[in-house]
Structures are given as structure tokens and as C-alpha cells.
Amino acid sequence: MDQSREQKALRALYSDETENYRFPIEPSAGDWVTIRFRTLKNSADMVWIVYGSRKSKMLRCSMDDWFDYYEIRIRLGKEKFSYYFEIFMAGNCYVYTRTGIEDGKEIARTESGTVHMWAGSAGSGDVLTARRKMDMDVNRGADDRYGMSVDANQAAYAGVARMDFVNGRQLSLGGGRRSDLGNVEGVVPSSAAEQTLFSADQVRRCFVILPGFVTPAWAKGAVMYQIFVDRFCNGDPSNDVLDREYAYIRGYAKQVKDWNTRPEAMDVRSFYGGDLAGVMSKLDYLKELGVDVLYLNPIFVSPSNHKYDIQDYDYVDPHYGKILRDGGEALAEGDMDNTHASRYISRVTDRENLEASNELFAQLVHEAHARGMKVILDGVFNYCGSFNKWMDRERIYEGCDAYEKGAYVAQESPYHDFFSFREGGSWPYNGAYEGWWDHDTLPKLNYEQSVCLQEYVLQIGRKWVSAPYCADGWRLDVAADLGHSSAFNHDFWKRFRQAVKTANPEAVILAEHYGDASDWLQGDEWDTVMNYDAFMEPVTWFLTGMEKHSDGRNDDLLG
């Protein structure tokens, strides 16, 4: 094969995890799955699929003017099925994973040895040649002959082939039991052990099938529109936050009168008046834009405009919903004591306001569904806010008979174990608690020490995707940070998924995560993640020259 055709052949190698190369796309345990691989027409000698400790030869089943297509049918078990491909062309073996042609990494580990790959750089112009170093019966002579095989000591392995090379030239095919060679009618993985021979890093490069994992049909290809509610549309001025309605982070809440006012550096206390009524008034507009899903930033009771410091997970904030009963006073100038913020206390603790606000959200979801749109809520379950009724640092609930004492107020609070208190503090009014990244306005929730907290949050997860609210899923804020250990984090999200999917099988679970989320995307925790690495970060660099969460600027990153 001349160099030009070789490069074309390498560029033509392709497979992915879409219905074009794997079908059915979301199989269940016991289903037969057809897996396909593409090569340049008449370029490949053989194509193999490698999975666990086994490999099987694929058959060329179709072709067009440019490409050949190889296929094999495999019957799935209950376990995750990981695989990659080996392509033999002109005496060379190329390893193809989700990341494309492998560039010289260790690719697999078996119980009797390690398989290593050697290759030139993809950009160097060198031929990408992969050779397997065997730990068994390798016949190496003076003519530099290499044996090419897979761990034949694995009893489950039923497709062993050995490719011999002399100075890079293919000589022969031989050896091994041949029961699976070319068996396009199907291969049945014989044991769960075969699915666990890859390391965590190798699995990330392998193609993966998760038997039984189903993506809600409505989420596939959906256009999602994120709404920061306070800055979207003011549909009901009667629920607007008032000047000095309460104090937060060394300042007063402020009503912004001019919608076109630019945000301030410390802007969390400034409210423009956006609310759910405003969102409802724009549903037809959003539908005309082509929006399929509304993703709402947090809407539950909280003192900031971003509402990631949740005060009450059970209720929509009346400032976004309905204020039917209003009374009391704002804080006097110079008074920062929120026990005197009677107007705010009345608005956010009165059950009539809270229930009416929840009903308005249910109405919003109903109207969105009537237009063929879905609604996803933002779930902030790693920490809450210092105003939260469980903590009550601002003593908003202390004088309300309908509420239990918060953990800040009293040591005997039923919510005491929801938080971790440090030595040196004392009650009443103990501020020595753990905060997320040491922010005292964001008390970290202490899940490991409170089964009650775990069940409460699982119930919240179920509540909002169930009738009468019928939200269509959750976006989980900093989801990998929940709890104090990786083991607990994974265990909790497994239970959260079960709770949510039992209540609403069509609900989606979308998590915020930076970096590789593979450990959470094994079919039993999250459905997917925010696309920060591939979309948000590059767009941020292009538009601003800065990375998100960075104070440094690099003009070279500007578009």
C-alpha cells in the first residue's frame, strides 16, 4: 500500500456509539446487538472486535463506492460491555477506540499478562504500527518474527488468531480455536469476568454498552434554554423584593428599578423582578425560537438572586411565585438584624404564599407541556444556605411556631446532624459549622451522619418530578462534591436515580461536573453532564480571554 493510500485508509477508519454503527442503540440484557466498523474500500485484511479477554473476527457485510462495512452480532449479558477494534492492513495492526487510532498506550490487561501497543506519532507521518508483546509461547527468531495473539490461557477465549510478521510483512494466519471467527450470527460473552479486565483509564477509551440504560426520547437532540429567573421577565410586580427587605452578606436586598441597569460586582442582593409569571408569559416566544426544554436555575426559597443558597427545598420562593398575604416592615436603615425583617419573614414563611407559589410552578409546567416543551429544575443538594430552615442562622424561623428550631439556634434541633459542627462553638446560636469551601453562607450538608437527611433529599428528588408538579428532571449542582467520600457520593446518586426514575421514568438526571465524569456515567447514577469542557470553556476563552472561575486574562485566547 503506497503512502498516500495508507493515509486515506487511516482517515477512513471509523466507528461510534450512534445508531449508524450500533443497533439497537439502547439494548437490554439478553438482546442481540449489531456492531459495525468502517474501512476504506478494499484496504483492510481483517477487522476484529476485542472485548474483555476475548476477540472475534468481524465480517465484511456491505460496501459502497468508498467504504467497506464490517459487522458482528453480540448477545449482551447484564454487565457493562466494553470493546475496541483491531484493524489489519498491509502487515500492520491498528487499534481503534473511542478516541480514534491509539497512539502507543497500553491498551489491555489480561489475567496472565499485559498487552502493550507501540506506535509512531499520528502527526509524524510514521506508519502507526501496533505490536503485541506476549507473555506466552511467543516464537521470536533471528528473522525478527513476532507472534500476534490474545491471551490463549483464558478458557473463555474462543477466537484466538496469531499473525506472524517477518520484517513487517504478513506471512500467515494460524493457531487458536476458531469457533468465533467470522461468526456474524453472534458471539455470547461467557462470563462477567470478561467485562472487568480493563483498567478505569482503558475503559474510558473503549466503546461501551450499558444494557438496560435508556435515554428519555424527548431528551435526544433537544434544544435546552437556560433561564436565570430573576433576569428573564417580570410578570408580576407585586412579588418583587423590596429595598432593605432583609440583609444578606453585609448589605441590604435591593430592588432594581431600571431593567437595563448593569450588574454590580457584588450583585447577589440586587433583584430585577423576574418571576415564574414572566416565564409563563414568554412560553409562546420560546416555542417559536425552537426551544424544547426549559432549564430553570434554582427557584426555591432563598435570599440571593441566583438562589443556589436554598432556604427551603419544599417550596418555590414567593418572590418568584405568589404573595397572597403580605405584611410587616422592611429593615430600618442601619439595622442588619434579620429578626426585625418582618416583611421578609411573613412573605417566605406564610404557608398560603408558599402553597400558592408551588401551584404556580405546577401551572407553568402544565403550560410548557401543552406546548411540547419540558422543564428541568436545578437541584443544589451538596450544601444549603445559611437562611435554610434546617440551620436558621438568620433566625428567620425561630419565632414561627409552625417550624422546628434550626441547628444554629438549638443543639437539640432535629436538624443537628444535618450539619457538621466544629469544636469550640456553643449554643444557642452556634456558628462553628462546616461551610462549603469555608463559606458560612453555604453550610455543607453532612449526609453520612444523618439517614434522615438522606431520606429527606431523596423525597425532594421524587416530589418535584411527581404530580402535581411533574418536572421533567434535575440538573444537579456540583454533584461530585456531595458527601465527604467518593464511596458515599456514588452510593447516594445511585439511590437518587432509583428514587427519581421510579417516580418518573421519563425524568432526566443532568449533573454539573468538570473533567471526566465516566465514573458517574455507568448507567446507574447520572444520565449525562453539563458540556463545560467541550463548549463552555472554549466559548468563554473565545469571548472573554478568560477561563471560568479564573481572575487571570490571556488575550491570546480571544477569538
Side-chain angles (χ1 to χ4, degrees), residues 462-509:
R462 288 188 294 265
K463 171 181 176 176
W464 292 102
V465 300
S466 302
Y469 310 111
C470 301
D472 299 289
W474 288 99
R475 180 268 189 188
L476 304 174
D477 187 62
V478 289
D481 285 5
L482 183 139
H484 291 86
S485 72
S486 176
F488 178 83
N489 182 279
H490 285 290
D491 177 72
F492 182 83
W493 290 129
K494 286 180 174 67
R495 288 189 287 144
F496 185 88
R497 178 185 184 85
Q498 185 177 20
V500 169
K501 297 288 187 176
T502 299
N504 183 352
E506 287 294 297
V508 71
I509 299 174

Side-chain angles (χ1 to χ4, degrees), residues 53-314:
S53 63
R54 306 179 69 184
K55 78 174 190 178
S56 297
K57 187 178 180 182
M58 303 176 72
L59 286 187
R60 185 171 63 174
C61 292
S62 62
M63 64 187 72
D64 56 28
D65 290 341
W66 296 99
F67 303 112
D68 292 331
Y69 298 92
Y70 291 77
E71 292 183 359
I72 193 167
R73 294 179 71 234
I74 293 180
R75 189 173 188 178
L76 298 180
K78 296 180 180 179
E79 299 80 19
K80 176 176 65 177
F81 184 82
S82 302
Y83 63 96
Y84 63 92
F85 302 95
E86 290 180 350
I87 306 93
F88 292 88
M89 296 190 302
N92 300 314
C93 173
Y94 303 95
V95 174
Y96 191 96
T97 68
R98 279 198 299 180
T99 59
I101 300 174
E102 284 292 322
D103 59 359
K105 306 167 188 172
E106 176 187 308
I107 197 61
R109 180 174 292 122
T110 67
E111 292 178 357
S112 63
T114 300
V115 176
H116 296 274
M117 311 307 301
W118 290 269
S121 169
S124 68
D126 298 334
V127 176
L128 289 172
T129 304
R131 295 174 177 168
R132 290 183 179 244
K133 179 181 179 183
M134 305 310 299
D135 296 326
M136 76 212 78
D137 192 25
V138 175
N139 186 11
R140 183 179 306 202
D143 57 359
D144 195 28
R145 175 175 299 187
Y146 286 83
M148 196 73 179
S149 68
V150 173
D151 187 357
N153 293 326
Q154 291 290 324
Y157 182 74
V160 181
R162 186 173 68 207
M163 186 69 68
D164 293 329
F165 292 87
V166 175
N167 297 326
R169 181 171 62 87
Q170 177 182 331
L171 290 181
S172 64
L173 174 67
R177 301 203 307 276
R178 308 292 291 277
S179 62
D180 282 346
L181 298 185
N183 182 10
V184 76
E185 287 306 314
V187 176
V188 181
S190 63
S191 71
E194 295 178 19
Q195 305 306 315
T196 60
L197 294 176
F198 299 110
S199 71
D201 181 62
Q202 292 151 3
V203 166
R204 292 186 182 100
R205 302 202 304 276
C206 287
F207 296 91
V208 175
I209 301 175
L210 301 170
F213 178 83
V214 176
T215 302
W218 62 262
K220 297 176 183 178
V223 176
M224 298 193 182
Y225 189 101
Q226 180 177 353
I227 295 180
F228 189 95
V229 178
D230 180 65
R231 306 296 165 88
F232 184 71
C233 179
N234 189 344
D236 181 4
S238 70
N239 63 18
D240 289 357
V241 173
L242 305 177
D243 287 336
R244 297 196 314 278
E245 187 173 320
Y246 56 93
Y248 187 49
I249 313 181
R250 299 175 299 280
Y252 293 113
K254 181 176 69 173
Q255 183 186 92
V256 178
K257 307 298 193 298
D258 181 1
W259 187 268
N260 295 312
T261 301
R262 292 186 177 184
E264 300 174 354
M266 180 55 181
D267 199 54
V268 298
R269 301 181 300 263
S270 300
F271 293 86
Y272 285 59
D275 48 35
L276 297 187
V279 176
M280 290 179 65
S281 72
K282 298 295 183 179
L283 288 178
D284 290 334
Y285 157 74
L286 293 166
K287 181 65 177 178
E288 290 173 4
L289 282 181
V291 173
D292 299 308
V293 182
L294 305 180
Y295 154 44
L296 304 180
N297 284 118
I299 62 172
F300 305 115
V301 182
S302 62
S304 70
N305 52 35
H306 58 70
K307 300 203 177 299
Y308 282 92
D309 42 2
I310 291 177
Q311 183 172 330
D312 191 338
Y313 291 93
D314 287 296

Side-chain angles (χ1 to χ4, degrees), residues 200 204 486 490 494 516-522 524-526:
R204 292 186 182 100
S486 176
H490 285 290
K494 286 180 174 67
D516 188 348
S518 299
D519 291 345
W520 289 269
L521 299 177
Q522 301 303 311
D524 56 357
E525 296 182 52
W526 310 337

